[in-house]
Amino acid sequence: MPIPATCPECGDADISVVTVPPSEHAYDGWQTAIECDTCDERVFAAELE
């Protein structure tokens, strides 16, 4: 699934796409995540598949 243009939690478009190191999550290797400035949620691309 492609990275959405809005936050999957609250629907706001004020998001950042970030790369997260392995030490900050439970997945293998570096991961892409969406960070929402409105609801402070971090959603990993792996969770959207």
Side-chain angles (χ1 to χ4, degrees):
M1 171 184 250
I3 300 293
T6 60
C7 174
E9 296 296 321
C10 72
D12 198 338
D14 194 10
I15 61 171
S16 301
V17 178
V18 296
T19 304
V20 185
S23 61
E24 295 184 21
H25 58 77
Y27 302 104
D28 290 332
W30 286 77
Q31 292 291 317
T32 302
I34 298 165
E35 289 185 346
C36 181
D37 295 332
T38 302
C39 71
D40 290 329
E41 232 5 85
R42 177 186 277 178
V43 180
F44 287 94
E47 297 170 357
L48 299 173
E49 294 177 351

